[in-house]
Amino acid sequence: MSVYFPQKKLPYLLVLPQLVITAIFFLWPAGQAVLQAFYREDAFGLSQQFVGLENFVDLFQDPLYYKSMMVTMVFSFSVAFLGIAVALWLAVMADRVIRGKMVYQTLLVWPYAVAPALAGVLWWILFDPNIGPVALFLDRIGLHWNHFLDGDQAMILVVISATWKQISYNFLFFLAGLQAIPRSLIEAAAIDGASSFKRFWDIVFPLLSPTTFFLLVVNLVYAFFETFGVIDTTTQGGPDGSTNTLVYKVFKDGFIGLDSGGSAAQSIVLMAIVGLMTVIQFRFIERKVQY
Amino acid sequence: MRKLMLATSVLGLSIASSSFAATQIEWWHAMGGANGEKLNEIVKEFNDSQTQYTVDPVFKGTYTETMTSAIAAFRAHKQPAIVQVFEVGTATMMAAKGAVYPVYKLMQDTKADFDPNAYLSSVTSYYSDVDGNMLSMPFNSSTPVLYYNKEMFKKAGLTSAPKTWEEVESYSKKLLASGAQCGFTTGWQSWVQLENLSARHDVAFASNDDGFAGLDTNLLFNSPLQVKHISKMREWQQNGIFSYGGRRSDSAPKFYSQQCAMYTGSSSAFGGMTRNAKFDFGVSSLPYWASEVKQPNNTIIGGASLWVLQGKDKAEYQAAAAFLHFLSTPEIQAQWHQFTGYLPITHAAYELTKKEGFYQSHPGTEAAVLQMTASEPTVNSRGLRLGNFVQIRDVINGALESVWSGKESPQAALDTAVKRGDVLLRKFEKAHN
């Protein structure tokens, strides 16, 4: 049986606020970006010149842009993988705890409340090669830490700082997912003599796959777009561009370099990449998900 | 009807009151902390000194943030009358002809008391056009100097600061032998070790008189002098004489914690030094290669200047001119110089500070001024005028980092940096013709 609304306009009216918000805060600025990408403009906007695809051509002729792409891939997949793996492990552990469960769970969720820029500052102080306690400790055990000079170390630093916060978020979802798995399934497997590893791998993990898939998408989007605060406070994209991710480059070229056309072209490419990735994920990975 | 009457009377009142009020202008700046408080104090002194004008200082964050928000505000027609812009933003401001009201012109148009010769030429040259007209008002200028740890020097049997890079090398060897972890470290590597290196040795950093003569400039910092210096620094990085510690002033803690015995950095770091260095330290001039020049040039400045923006009315420009005049008076300048460690921008302020005995009671504070005024600036030591300079510095930083880490040879790294920098200059040139 279906229900009919007497007025035809009411449903539109009800979704109108959301549409207006989307239009003002997404469509309009995104449209501006698309327009800007075809112009060359001085910083103050005093002169504007239509240049067609020149901004894009410049971009794809720039070897640094390809480097930035590689950096972004390494960074995003490391963040997503590490964040999901550690959170899953912690959630499984926290789910097993009998005493003081709430304490563990609360403490593990806590870091999520820390603002990204603040988290960056925190890690920056810890790892600062000149004053950071962690860096000094590593030096003492013979591992020379200087992320101002060593690109790999800089990458490790930004991956850790970006992941740390996200672990809490992932943890929350995994914990909820674990609690939704019927006890009877696990008990039945245990009676059949399945080891705890086997129980996890054959029952728990497949049942968690919708959560894992959801988190994969969310984490990749997070790593692509929202990690710029962390990078800004720790490495500013350095040394020699080894942590200059695409989104950070957009910021740097647009807001510091004041090159609005080039920066707009980059954000369009970035938008396309993430769109494409999301499509691929839904197309190919989601098939393996069991709801 | 009654509403309308009310509205008109409110309107009338507000018009009436505004005609009595002082003209108010905003000044956007990037001075935080103690310097910011001092700035507010100076503005208050101005506001209290007369009744016609009020200046409203607004702290906008870092230099970059201040400049970008002023630009965004200009595009939205909400710009302040005066904005503080750092030295690397100079070319961008200069190229924005319709956005900037040149200071020399403002002073002329408002018939303000203004004598360009009162200012230190090595400071104003950075902000003047080819004909020598001051386009912005210098406010807080600094220049690189060498700080050294007197206690570590004593332990190594050294009695004075090194004057040349040759001495930096030989002194550092003695320092390392006496137990120091590193000889020296540097802040702001592009500014100190390339831009000032070039100026000091009278070698061009870029064509077109370091960018002063036009927009079709090419970078030239991959010539033998710079390559030699950077090669030497790489050698020093490998044998412990030099230790790299970050792009900005991130390396200063290496000096504070007595890991490194010397630090080349901004003269405006003096205040921070006094607070953080728990040992006796000295300030000396920035070293030069004795094998390259007999008499080094002046060093060039860093820091920021004040730009007046277009789109305000006459009364507001009167206020801006009066305020800029006030800032240049010897008393205010001397106060600011002594408190912050920035250079005095007028001869009178320098003389006043000298007369007050400040340099005697604060040894080391004069080193920067002397180094700046030792010689008349040449075309290679007036300063740099490069578009997209913020990004060019970024390119240079990346190149130097790849040299320090041993990934690339100095020549190759500087060649790449020049090539990438030229691309940025071409981009700037295209956007401004």
Side-chain angles (χ1 to χ4, degrees):
Chain A
M1 195 191 99
S2 41
V3 180
Y4 289 96
F5 288 103
Q7 307 104 310
K8 285 226 170 68
K9 285 178 191 152
L10 185 65
Y12 295 102
L13 207 67
L14 290 175
V15 292
L16 188 69
Q18 182 59 42
L19 288 178
V20 168
I21 287 173
T22 312
I24 293 178
F25 291 103
F26 177 71
L27 292 177
W28 187 50
Q32 290 273 314
V34 172
L35 265 180
Q36 248 174 13
F38 297 98
Y39 283 90
R40 184 169 46 223
E41 210 178 0
D42 70 295
F44 283 85
L46 297 167
S47 69
Q48 209 184 35
Q49 212 180 331
F50 183 78
V51 291
L53 290 172
E54 199 182 299
N55 288 327
F56 292 93
V57 173
D58 281 354
L59 202 58
F60 287 109
Q61 278 176 352
D62 184 0
L64 290 180
Y65 192 62
Y66 295 102
K67 184 176 175 188
S68 175
M69 267 187 191
M70 276 310 294
V71 164
T72 312
M73 289 302 157
V74 172
F75 172 75
S76 304
F77 283 96
S78 307
V79 167
F81 176 77
L82 202 68
I84 289 174
V86 174
L88 180 59
W89 181 70
L90 286 173
V92 170
M93 291 298 148
D95 196 38
R96 280 190 199 157
V97 172
I98 304 192
R99 263 214 256 150
K101 206 172 188 162
M102 277 308 283
V103 178
Y104 285 103
Q105 292 175 0
T106 314
L107 286 180
L108 283 168
V109 174
W110 236 352
Y112 196 61
V114 178
L118 213 62
V121 171
L122 214 75
W123 290 101
W124 165 64
I125 293 175
L126 284 175
F127 279 91
D128 185 279
N130 304 323
I131 51 166
V134 178
L136 294 180
F137 169 77
L138 288 173
D139 252 358
R140 197 159 301 162
I141 61 168
L143 206 157
H144 189 63
W145 183 273
N146 189 351
H147 65 255
F148 290 132
L149 217 50
D150 187 321
D152 297 331
Q153 289 183 353
M155 179 56 97
I156 293 173
L157 175 65
V158 288
V159 167
I160 292 177
S161 354
T163 311
W164 175 66
K165 250 178 70 58
Q166 203 57 15
I167 287 175
S168 301
Y169 179 84
N170 298 349
F171 170 80
L172 212 60
F173 278 88
F174 276 131
L175 195 68
L178 282 171
Q179 282 165 357
I181 294 174
R183 287 276 148 212
S184 55
L185 279 177
I186 296 167
E187 280 159 14
I191 292 166
D192 288 343
S195 68
S196 75
F197 177 77
K198 209 163 169 52
R199 289 200 298 270
F200 173 76
W201 202 243
D202 287 342
I203 297 171
V204 176
F205 191 66
L207 285 171
L208 278 178
S209 60
T211 314
T212 315
F213 175 67
F214 164 77
L215 288 176
L216 180 70
V217 176
V218 169
N219 279 284
L220 279 178
V221 170
Y222 161 80
F224 260 91
F225 287 111
E226 287 165 51
T227 45
F228 122 93
V230 164
I231 293 175
D232 193 43
T233 45
T234 50
T235 63
Q236 285 103 40
D240 198 15
S242 48
T243 53
N244 202 12
T245 60
L246 291 171
V247 69
Y248 193 67
K249 197 168 151 49
V250 169
F251 162 76
K252 224 160 139 178
D253 291 357
F255 287 87
I256 297 179
L258 303 168
D259 172 15
S260 57
S263 167
Q266 286 178 42
S267 46
I268 288 173
V269 175
L270 183 59
M271 213 149 48
I273 293 176
V274 174
L276 193 74
M277 249 175 41
T278 314
V279 169
I280 293 174
Q281 284 172 340
F282 275 96
R283 261 286 172 82
F284 299 102
I285 301 181
E286 205 195 9
R287 286 195 191 150
K288 300 212 170 77
V289 171
Q290 302 162 20
Y291 287 101
Chain B
M1 191 58 210
R2 198 191 285 169
K3 250 190 200 159
L4 187 70
M5 269 171 68
L6 195 68
T8 42
S9 58
V10 168
L11 191 69
L13 264 177
S14 64
I15 288 168
S17 66
S18 70
S19 67
F20 285 108
T23 308
Q24 196 170 354
I25 57 165
E26 275 191 7
W27 172 22
W28 288 6
H29 67 84
M31 301 273 95
N35 289 354
E37 281 161 35
K38 185 71 197 169
L39 182 149
N40 286 335
E41 212 177 279
I42 289 175
V43 171
K44 193 171 175 301
E45 212 176 308
F46 173 74
N47 290 341
D48 293 346
S49 71
Q50 39 73 44
T51 51
Q52 275 176 293
Y53 318 114
T54 331
V55 173
D56 192 6
V58 184
F59 174 60
K60 280 284 171 183
T62 64
Y63 280 138
T64 317
E65 285 160 0
T66 306
M67 181 170 168
T68 41
S69 44
I71 288 174
F74 182 85
R75 299 178 74 134
H77 307 291
K78 297 257 189 294
Q79 71 273 31
I82 305 175
V83 60
Q84 183 188 18
V85 176
F86 57 164
E87 91 279 12
V88 286
T90 303
T92 304
M93 298 302 287
M94 257 171 213
K97 294 223 165 57
V100 161
Y101 197 161
V103 161
Y104 79 94
K105 215 160 164 283
L106 169 86
M107 296 315 230
Q108 256 168 31
D109 294 350
T110 54
K111 302 195 171 54
D113 186 7
F114 176 66
D115 173 19
N117 295 324
Y119 300 83
L120 301 186
S121 57
S122 42
V123 174
T124 50
S125 61
Y126 207 111
Y127 305 115
S128 301
D129 63 16
V130 260
D131 303 322
N133 294 316
M134 266 167 75
L135 301 181
S136 67
M137 178 63 83
F139 175 61
N140 56 321
S141 300
S142 54
T143 203
V145 289
L146 175 97
Y147 295 91
Y148 64 103
N149 185 325
K150 284 189 175 166
E151 289 166 20
M152 288 170 84
F153 265 55
K154 211 168 153 193
K155 211 174 135 201
L158 300 164
T159 47
S160 64
K163 289 264 167 293
T164 62
W165 286 113
E166 285 91 347
E167 282 175 355
V168 168
E169 185 173 28
S170 63
Y171 284 24
S172 292
K173 284 183 182 150
K174 285 189 187 151
L175 286 158
L176 291 175
S178 73
Q181 281 179 41
C182 87
F184 78 101
T185 183
T186 188
W188 303 97
Q189 50 184 355
S190 168
W191 183 52
V192 180
Q193 307 296 348
L194 277 178
E195 296 162 34
N196 268 291
L197 175 91
S198 310
R200 211 146 168 68
H201 296 85
D202 208 15
V203 170
F205 186 83
S207 64
N208 267 340
D209 297 345
D210 279 348
F212 275 58
L215 290 175
D216 53 343
T217 302
N218 287 308
L219 296 170
L220 296 172
F221 58 75
N222 55 346
S223 65
L225 170 81
Q226 290 96 338
V227 173
K228 173 193 165 182
H229 184 66
I230 299 305
S231 307
K232 214 55 190 158
M233 282 192 58
R234 179 165 81 151
E235 184 192 317
W236 292 339
Q237 164 80 22
Q238 282 159 353
N239 60 23
I241 288 177
F242 166 59
S243 171
Y244 178 61
R247 293 181 168 190
R248 304 184 221 183
S249 44
D250 317 78
S251 50
K254 280 187 194 284
F255 182 72
Y256 300 152
S257 63
Q258 315 210 37
Q259 289 176 48
C260 299
M262 291 174 273
Y263 172 68
T264 50
S266 166
S267 59
S268 67
F270 189 82
M273 281 292 161
T274 326
R275 258 194 312 282
N276 293 309
K278 302 276 176 275
F279 48 83
D280 198 12
F281 71 90
V283 189
S284 181
S285 55
L286 185 71
Y288 59 93
W289 286 101
S291 56
E292 301 285 336
V293 280
K294 286 230 155 51
Q295 192 58 48
N297 272 347
N298 64 299
T299 46
I300 52 176
I301 56 166
S305 67
L306 305 183
W307 291 84
V308 179
L309 297 178
Q310 292 282 6
K312 298 282 165 187
D313 62 38
K314 232 172 162 188
E316 286 168 302
Y317 286 129
Q318 288 289 351
F323 182 59
L324 292 182
H325 171 72
F326 173 81
L327 281 181
S328 311
T329 54
E331 293 72 28
I332 294 299
Q333 265 307 308
Q335 233 188 79
W336 176 249
H337 162 53
Q338 293 170 21
F339 182 86
T340 58
Y342 285 114
L343 297 164
I345 56 165
T346 60
H347 295 290
Y350 173 50
E351 292 303 326
L352 180 64
T353 307
K354 210 156 47 173
K355 217 169 71 196
E356 288 172 354
F358 180 79
Y359 299 124
Q360 260 94 51
S361 54
H362 296 77
T365 45
E366 201 178 9
V369 193
L370 291 176
Q371 169 184 312
M372 285 297 296
T373 50
S375 61
E376 250 331 279
T378 70
V379 281
N380 293 323
S381 70
R382 275 189 302 196
L384 300 168
R385 188 146 313 149
L386 305 173
N388 284 332
F389 200 5
V390 183
Q391 291 124 297
I392 292 176
R393 276 239 176 117
D394 202 46
V395 165
I396 294 175
N397 279 325
L400 291 179
E401 279 162 352
S402 71
V403 172
W404 310 150
S405 65
K407 263 200 285 190
E408 270 189 275
S409 77
Q411 183 76 57
L414 291 181
D415 287 347
T416 324
V418 162
K419 215 161 62 195
R420 285 183 190 165
D422 281 344
V423 172
L424 290 163
L425 285 174
R426 290 297 75 74
K427 225 172 172 175
F428 187 79
E429 187 188 357
K430 274 196 223 158
H432 289 90
N433 58 21

